[in-house]
Amino acid sequence: MLIASSVSQTWIWKGFPICYVREGNNGPAVILVHGFGASWGHWRKNIPDLAKHCRVFALDLIGFGGSAKPKPTEEISYTFETWGQQIADFCREVVQEPAFLVGNSIGCIVVMQAAIDHPNIVQEVALLNCSLRLLHERKREQLPWYRNYGASVAQELLKYSWFNRFFFKQLATPQTVKKVLLQAYQRDEAVTDELVEMLLKPAQDQGAVDVFAAFTRYSQGPLPEDLLPELPCKAIILWGTDDPWEPIELGEEFKQYSTVKQFIRLEGVGHCPQDEAPELVNPILLDWMLS
């Protein structure tokens, strides 16, 4: 399998440098949006295949990857509305035509928010193991008391910079990242040193701790069940059956929405199917965009 070796480019958004890559010269435009703590590199196994038939763009959301990580302010808050605006502006200024939007995890919420707020920039959306946002304030009452209490305490502590630095330091190690990935992925061989390094490197950037704390405290905003019925376009959903974080049984409830035209189970795959099983994901995405 070819792995993307794209040279990243820089786009300035609201005065901040945003990292992105592009490949392919023909066919429909597609924008790939990563999940929490990841970057465009999480699509490195998809870009070459998709670029044979599409114009592929993958960018780092502000706060992640090689993009700027400014402290949260009134101008830049780490919310889905902010990231949705970023995607829409990127589509208008860089892609310059309506695109297929593909997200993984929280990236699914981002692409849906972008589509709803800016329907003129989207053709359709594909959601890969959509974040269910189970720690959202509207969902906590359904959790066991000890999980609800633990999440509330952690979010309170994350208001303090000393705790943020301590907590982040414990997480941002090769051993911890690898352990987390081995939980999220079902194929151990997909958890490589390259993947661990790719996720760890941006954590050394100035501002990374502030972004982590801001998003970890963010238990408001939209849920997928809020956004799906409001989509101005159709959606396909791909879901790894062995995702330990976002149970497929809950994901399958999204079939009820008229905007969902297809729900595809990816057997034996975890939370990041685009990286863990690109040989399954790439043909599905191509068939979706080219049909």
Side-chain angles (χ1 to χ4, degrees):
M1 177 188 302
L2 291 173
I3 304 297
S5 55
S6 308
V7 176
S8 63
Q9 302 181 54
T10 300
W11 166 60
I12 303 300
W13 182 64
K14 295 185 180 293
F16 299 107
I18 301 298
C19 178
Y20 76 97
V21 297
R22 63 179 297 170
E23 278 196 29
N25 299 311
N26 301 296
V30 57
I31 301 175
L32 307 174
V33 182
H34 61 80
F36 179 67
S39 63
W40 75 261
H42 220 178
W43 303 97
R44 68 200 184 285
K45 299 177 184 177
N46 318 105
I47 293 171
D49 280 355
L50 300 183
K52 294 174 184 176
H53 306 279
C54 304
R55 293 187 301 117
V56 184
F57 300 82
L59 77 165
D60 293 346
L61 297 173
I62 191 165
F64 297 109
S67 290
K69 301 170 182 63
K71 285 192 173 183
T73 62
E74 288 186 8
E75 181 184 1
I76 294 294
S77 57
Y78 293 103
T79 66
F80 293 112
E81 289 80 6
T82 296
W83 290 315
Q85 183 69 58
Q86 180 189 344
I87 297 300
D89 290 342
F90 180 81
C91 194
R92 293 188 185 107
E93 297 177 21
V94 180
V95 181
Q96 298 184 342
E97 69 176 66
F100 289 90
L101 306 182
V102 182
N104 171 231
S105 191
I106 69 160
C108 299
I109 309 292
V110 173
V111 301
M112 286 194 286
Q113 188 73 63
I116 290 168
D117 290 346
H118 309 272
N120 60 321
I121 62 99
V122 62
Q123 295 205 48
E124 291 188 0
V125 300
L127 313 176
L128 281 61
N129 287 65
C130 182
S131 171
L132 298 169
R133 306 203 66 204
L134 294 175
L135 295 181
H136 191 283
E137 61 185 12
R138 282 191 272 145
K139 290 195 172 183
R140 283 188 180 173
E141 60 187 31
Q142 303 169 23
L143 293 174
W145 70 267
Y146 52 88
R147 285 191 63 192
N148 190 347
Y149 178 76
S152 298
V153 169
Q155 288 194 325
E156 282 300 310
L157 287 170
L158 284 165
K159 294 178 180 178
Y160 300 99
S161 60
W162 65 267
F163 181 79
N164 296 342
R165 291 192 297 271
F166 170 78
F167 188 50
F168 193 73
K169 186 176 181 180
Q170 308 310 307
L171 292 177
T173 68
Q175 296 80 9
T176 301
V177 170
K178 187 170 186 177
K179 183 178 179 181
V180 170
L181 288 170
L182 287 170
Q183 292 175 352
Y185 284 50
Q186 291 305 305
R187 301 178 182 180
D188 290 357
E189 66 273 15
V191 181
T192 62
D193 291 341
E194 176 202 35
L195 176 61
V196 172
E197 181 181 358
M198 182 186 77
L199 296 175
L200 266 180
K201 186 177 179 182
Q204 312 306 315
D205 293 348
Q206 183 175 357
V209 175
D210 294 317
V211 176
F212 170 80
F215 187 74
T216 306
R217 292 199 307 267
Y218 178 44
S219 58
Q220 300 81 36
L223 293 166
E225 53 266 40
D226 299 330
L227 299 175
L228 277 165
E230 300 298 324
L231 280 176
C233 60
K234 292 294 186 179
I236 65 167
I237 300 177
L238 287 66
W239 213 288
T241 60
D242 292 5
D243 187 338
W245 297 340
E246 315 293 352
I248 191 169
E249 295 79 12
L250 298 179
E252 286 184 316
E253 294 178 6
F254 297 153
K255 293 178 185 178
Q256 66 180 295
Y257 296 109
S258 60
T259 53
V260 176
K261 70 176 184 181
Q262 199 173 11
F263 187 101
I264 303 168
R265 294 170 59 95
L266 302 173
E267 299 294 335
V269 180
H271 184 63
C272 305
Q274 79 278 12
D275 187 50
E276 186 176 358
E279 79 284 358
L280 300 179
V281 170
N282 293 348
I284 293 171
L285 294 180
L286 282 171
D287 181 66
W288 163 63
M289 290 184 286
L290 299 176
S291 61

